[in-house]
């Protein structure tokens, strides 16, 4: 349910996108996602307590469900209390804090900065530095990656995070303002912290991983369409090939959602993504996305950043169009 009128919500989303594009992420001590991460660790320590290590998979699943529900509810509820309380003091104060909270759930500028930290050493021929920087943003082993594989890791990460850190938070903000956007970010943070299929989290993190999948079902597919539209405004990219790539390859990805943005970007660029990754020494063969019309090169990182920004501009333009339409029909 919208906390404000649709028009006011669109204005606030437009302002939040602008704040993120201009300022980016706030300093880490004040970033809400940092505090969500601390909350997850605190709750995990309390909920999972089992000195004898005798919990069954079913018991771990139940406790994981409690962790997921508690984190999402507390995160969204806290933001609701803050925005409603400050809004009661003065409407513009409520608008301002609402805009700020929504802006912290998106990371267009932050994604660009992270990708550029990989691109710059690549462009200078410093492979060891590039491996180190790409290791900050991916979970795979990076020590032995060559330039095309480093590029692929960066491109895939930016593509996938166009869902998690741009489209999905704004989608939920449109439905329920900053509280729902922050509840989504809590679910996404849970997935990144406990949603692993390893011995420690395969059962305890089950609910977090599945809930993140459910929340991203529609935003991931919307992102694929937006990336194809963004290719229309990007020189040398093909929107039709992007859509064909989504249709052909997206469902081959082991994730129900990640294949959509990756396939869209691969098709737009005319390259192949996916393939062999190594995690903790274990090899994982991922479905290949797109057609290798040319080899991957470091400039594809720049191309993916351009697509990311154009998706942001399309969303901002959508807000403006929505505002204008609402004004016309008043």
């Amino acid at each position: 349910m919208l906390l404000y009128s649709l028009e006011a919500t669109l204005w606030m989303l437009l302002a939040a996108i602008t704040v993120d594009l201009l300022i980016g992420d706030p300093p880490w001590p004040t970033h809400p996602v940092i505090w969500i991460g601390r909350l997850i660790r605190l709750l995990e320590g309390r909920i999972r307590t089992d000195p004898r290590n005798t919990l069954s998979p079913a018991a771990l699943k139940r406790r994981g469900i409690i962790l997921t529900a508690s984190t999402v509810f507390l995160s969204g509820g806290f933001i609701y209390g803050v925005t409603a309380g400050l809004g009661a003091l003065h409407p513009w104060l409520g608008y301002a804090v609402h805009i700020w909270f929504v802006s912290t759930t998106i990371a267009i500028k932050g994604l660009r900065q992270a990708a550029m930290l990989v691109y710059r050493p690549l462009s200078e021929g410093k492979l060891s530095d590039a491996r180190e920087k790409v290791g900050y943003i991916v979970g795979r082993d990076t020590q032995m990656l060559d330039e095309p594989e480093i590029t692929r890791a960066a491109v895939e990460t930016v593509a996938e995070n166009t869902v998690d850190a741009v489209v999905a938070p704004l989608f939920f903000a449109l439905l329920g303002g900053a509280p729902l956007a922050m509840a989504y970010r809590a679910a996404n943070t849970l997935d990144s912290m406990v949603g692993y299929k390893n011995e420690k989290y395969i059962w305890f993190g089950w609910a977090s991983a599945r809930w993140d999948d459910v929340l991203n079902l529609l935003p991931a597919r919307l992102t694929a369409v937006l990336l194809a539209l963004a290719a229309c405004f990007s020189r040398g990219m093909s929107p039709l090939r992007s859509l064909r790539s989504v249709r052909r390859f997206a469902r081959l990805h082991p994730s129900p959602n990640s294949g959509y943005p990756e396939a869209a970007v691969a098709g737009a660029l005319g390259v192949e993504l996916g393939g062999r990754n190594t995690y903790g020494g274990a090899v994982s063969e991922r479905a290949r996305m797109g057609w290798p019309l040319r080899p991957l090169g470091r400039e594809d990182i720049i191309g993916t950043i351009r697509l990311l920004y154009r998706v942001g501009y399309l969303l901002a333009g959508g807000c403006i169009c929505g505002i204008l339409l609402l004004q016309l029909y008043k």
Side-chain angles (χ1 to χ4, degrees), residues 55 68 74 87 89 94 106 110 113 141 158 171 203 217 219 228 246 254 256 261 265 270 278 305 308 319:
L55 290 176
T68 301
L74 289 172
L89 291 176
I106 57 180
Q113 291 171 332
D141 299 341
V158 174
F171 173 80
W203 302 117
L217 280 173
V246 170
V265 167
T278 305
I305 291 171
L308 165 72
C319 290

Side-chain angles (χ1 to χ4, degrees), residues 7 12 16 20 39 55 64 73 100 107 111 114 148 167 185 211 224 243 262 277 313:
E7 184 176 350
M12 286 187 284
D20 180 66
L39 173 65
L55 290 176
F73 178 79
W100 184 78
L111 276 176
V167 177
R185 288 300 287 165
W211 185 232
L243 291 173
E262 288 186 21
N277 298 333
Y313 299 150

